Amino acid sequence: MWRDTSSALKALTSSHSLPATMSLALRFVFALLAVAAAHAASLSIASPRFTITAPDASQLRSQQLSLTEKPDALTLGQADVLKLTFQVVEQEEGKGVQPHQTFLRFHDEVTGEEGVQPVRVTPGGKAKFELNMARPPTSLPPTTTNPLKVSLILGSFTHSPAQYELFDLYVPASQSPPAHPDEAAFAPRPEITHTFRPEQRIPAKAVSAFFAAFVFWPWLVLVGFWFEISPRVPHLFSPHTLPFTVSLAAFEVLLFWYWVDLRLGQVLLYGGILAVPTAFAGKQALAKASERRLGRK
Amino acid sequence: MAPKTVSSPATTNSFQSLLRSYNETTLPRLKLIDAFLLFLMLSGIIQFVYCVLVTNFPFNAFLAGFGSCVGQFVLTASLRSQVNPANRAEFKEVSPERAFADFALGSIVLHFFVYNFLG
């Protein structure tokens, strides 16, 4: 292995091009990993044993555990104590080893609750775990009448990891787990029903038509009065005032055209264009009118 | 213009004398403007009564129509007061021609907004 590393390093330092260096570095890393994997031994348990004692120190059950065959389910009372001892060894040589991670996992398959308890292992691989139901550890999950599956998880950098199902455990039922304040948000929410404002009622056609006609009779009043008054408009069609009148009428036509067809930008543009001659015509017409008024006075 | 018969002869008489004095003293041009004002008032009242009694269904249309009546009434009333020769002392800096130009401009702008609202 060291020969490979030195030759790889030499190749790295001697080569000058960057892509060649990158590929060499990658190949070096892969080589190291392959070496580590090829040399990894697997972990195992030697002499696993459990003991259940009652609070008055009398032994209720004691048994050797087999890794291949699960024993009958264990039952713990309110104050019983479960003691579990084992030694972690390498599978081939049987040498005691201290793995980097040793966990006992308590898993309720029905509700899905689980708890993980780390187990202290001596450098020689010996491990001891005690579960006192009078003072249960915080890692024990909320339990019901379902059994807890107890499994041992071993993790290590130098060895390949292992997981062993040990036994099923019945413990007294605990309080149910507290509901998460956000839990309602993750379940389907109630269906939203919208209430819309009811449609506006349109009045009867007869009423509408009558009022449409009715609103026009003031025009008759107006026209009647104007005929009766019939003021003199002597200079209406003179060349001074006529352009002004015509441009004012043109403005009205433009606005009506806007109502029917045009868009805002267009009407503003046309209005702006029309305003110029209107202003001139107006100036002229009104100047003449004032002249006439002052002249007459 | 037939006088309306109201409850007591005194009010009838005062109303008749009011009308007579109006007829005699007002210039024809001012009477023209007054007729227009009356017409606007009647139109506005009819539209408002319709809105209150029947429906305000196309509310924008009601606003446009009623607003046009009211706005035009205001503009015409101001024109009349500025053009009236009896008010010359009040409006020294505003000549009747200037008043008419203001009236025309104001009317056009009002019509533009009303057409916008009419829909």
Side-chain angles (χ1 to χ4, degrees), chain B residues 36-48:
Chain B
F36 188 48
L37 287 171
L38 179 69
F39 155 75
L40 287 172
M41 200 151 54
L42 288 174
S43 290
I45 290 172
I46 292 173
Q47 286 178 53
F48 190 70

Side-chain angles (χ1 to χ4, degrees), chain B:
Chain B
M1 272 172 279
K4 296 195 184 80
T5 44
V6 282
S7 46
S8 70
T11 36
T12 322
N13 274 334
S14 65
F15 192 68
Q16 277 180 322
S17 65
L18 175 69
L19 275 179
R20 206 179 313 124
S21 88
Y22 170 77
N23 262 332
E24 281 159 13
T25 50
T26 326
L27 294 169
R29 287 208 174 159
L30 292 180
K31 281 201 205 157
L32 197 71
I33 299 178
D34 289 339
F36 188 48
L37 287 171
L38 179 69
F39 155 75
L40 287 172
M41 200 151 54
L42 288 174
S43 290
I45 290 172
I46 292 173
Q47 286 178 53
F48 190 70
V49 162
Y50 175 80
C51 178
V52 167
L53 283 186
V54 183
T55 181
N56 66 344
F57 163 51
F59 193 55
N60 58 314
F62 163 69
L63 285 179
F66 191 65
S68 75
C69 289
V70 171
Q72 196 70 57
F73 186 90
V74 167
L75 284 171
T76 318
S78 66
L79 174 73
R80 187 195 190 279
S81 62
Q82 284 173 336
V83 159
N84 197 354
N87 287 344
R88 274 296 58 226
E90 296 258 342
F91 297 107
K92 279 209 212 30
E93 62 278 348
V94 182
S95 69
E97 284 73 36
R98 167 76 193 281
F100 184 76
D102 290 341
F103 170 75
L105 181 65
S107 295
I108 287 175
V109 173
L110 174 73
H111 293 171
F112 172 64
F113 281 116
V114 163
Y115 273 118
N116 261 317
F117 237 77
L118 207 48

Side-chain angles (χ1 to χ4, degrees), chain A residues 221-246:
Chain A
V221 170
L222 179 69
V223 170
F225 272 134
W226 276 3
F227 269 119
E228 188 179 331
I229 297 168
S230 57
R232 299 172 305 120
V233 204
H235 302 279
L236 182 61
F237 293 106
S238 78
H240 294 283
T241 50
L242 193 60
F244 185 46
T245 324
V246 165

Side-chain angles (χ1 to χ4, degrees), chain A residues 71-295:
Chain A
D72 295 335
L74 283 65
T75 313
L76 287 181
Q78 279 283 5
D80 293 346
V81 177
L82 168 70
K83 279 204 189 70
L84 181 65
T85 56
F86 54 89
Q87 189 189 19
V88 183
V89 294
E90 268 181 32
Q91 192 144 47
E92 299 86 29
E93 297 165 28
K95 193 168 50 113
V97 74
Q98 184 190 41
H100 294 92
Q101 291 175 335
T102 316
F103 296 131
L104 268 180
R105 180 182 183 237
F106 302 94
H107 178 51
D108 182 342
E109 285 197 323
V110 176
T111 59
E113 300 279 351
E114 69 168 352
V116 176
Q117 169 77 42
V119 177
R120 189 161 274 154
V121 179
T122 64
K126 287 202 172 14
K128 190 165 67 155
F129 172 68
E130 186 172 311
L131 176 65
N132 188 350
M133 282 316 293
R135 281 197 310 272
T138 51
S139 59
L140 205 61
T143 51
T144 52
T145 52
N146 305 319
L148 288 175
K149 274 182 126 62
V150 180
S151 46
L152 181 67
I153 303 171
L154 301 167
S156 169
F157 305 154
T158 49
H159 299 85
S160 45
Q163 181 175 4
Y164 295 106
E165 292 250 0
L166 294 181
F167 46 81
D168 285 344
L169 179 66
Y170 283 93
V171 291
S174 70
Q175 281 185 328
S176 49
H180 197 271
D182 288 337
E183 197 172 323
F186 289 88
R189 308 293 284 276
E191 185 114 353
I192 303 172
T193 50
H194 298 276
T195 320
F196 293 104
R197 188 172 54 171
E199 288 276 342
Q200 284 232 291
R201 291 179 307 117
I202 303 176
K205 272 207 160 64
V207 177
S208 197
F210 166 71
F211 269 103
F214 187 63
V215 85
F216 281 108
W217 69 260
W219 280 97
L220 301 173
V221 170
L222 179 69
V223 170
F225 272 134
W226 276 3
F227 269 119
E228 188 179 331
I229 297 168
S230 57
R232 299 172 305 120
V233 204
H235 302 279
L236 182 61
F237 293 106
S238 78
H240 294 283
T241 50
L242 193 60
F244 185 46
T245 324
V246 165
S247 40
L248 285 180
F251 252 112
E252 294 296 326
V253 167
L254 174 70
L255 287 179
F256 185 79
W257 189 23
Y258 166 59
W259 183 41
V260 176
D261 195 25
L262 284 184
R263 303 172 66 78
L264 182 63
Q266 288 172 305
V267 74
L268 288 179
L269 178 70
Y270 299 156
I273 295 172
L274 193 56
V276 177
T278 312
F280 280 121
K283 227 175 165 60
Q284 188 189 29
L286 292 174
K288 203 75 172 108
S290 80
E291 203 179 291
R292 238 180 278 124
R293 178 171 61 87
L294 292 170

